[in-house]
Amino acid sequence: MGFRLPAIVKAKRSLIRSLSSSSQTADSKTSDIPKGYFAVYVGESQKKRFVIPISYLNEPLFLDLLSQVEEEFGYDHPMGGITIPCSENTFLDLISRLSV
C-alpha cells in the first residue's frame, strides 16, 4: 500500500494534534478538546493524541477501524480517549480518505 503524501499533509493540517502527557490531569485533558471533537490515542508503542471531529463517527471507514480495534483489544481505554494501536501513518492515511 502506497502513501499519498499530499493527502497525508492535508490530514495532518485538518487534525488538531497534541502529545499526551502523563502529568496532565483528566480535567485538563478534556478541557482542551473543543466541542464537537473527541480524543483518540494512536500508536503501537508510543501513543500520540489526536483530537478529531465527532462527525468521523458517521464514516463507514472509521467505524470499520473502531470495530477492528474493539474485536482485537476491547474498549478498556485507560488514557481517557479511544486507543487505536496502529501506526501514525496508517491512521493519517485512513483519515485522509474520509469525506468529512
Side-chain angles (χ1 to χ4, degrees):
M1 171 168 85
F3 293 104
R4 299 173 294 154
L5 291 180
I8 290 175
V9 170
K10 181 181 172 192
K12 276 192 170 185
R13 287 183 187 152
S14 70
L15 294 175
I16 302 167
R17 183 179 107 181
S18 65
L19 295 175
S20 64
S21 172
S22 60
S23 65
Q24 290 180 320
T25 66
D27 290 338
S28 67
K29 285 183 181 180
T30 58
S31 67
D32 65 346
I33 300 174
K35 185 174 183 173
Y37 290 79
F38 67 103
V40 294
Y41 294 88
V42 177
E44 293 164 350
S45 58
Q46 183 177 2
K47 307 282 190 256
K48 289 192 178 179
R49 182 174 181 239
F50 290 87
V51 178
I52 60 174
I54 288 178
S55 59
Y56 284 2
L57 294 174
N58 293 325
E59 293 290 327
L61 191 59
F62 191 75
L63 291 174
D64 287 343
L65 174 65
L66 291 180
S67 293
Q68 290 175 13
V69 169
E70 178 189 21
E71 286 175 18
E72 192 167 340
F73 301 99
Y75 276 129
D76 180 30
H77 304 289
M79 297 180 84
I82 296 173
T83 302
I84 301 175
C86 68
S87 72
E88 181 181 356
N89 286 336
T90 301
F91 180 74
L92 290 173
D93 184 54
L94 178 129
I95 294 300
S96 71
R97 296 176 190 201
L98 298 179
S99 62
V100 178

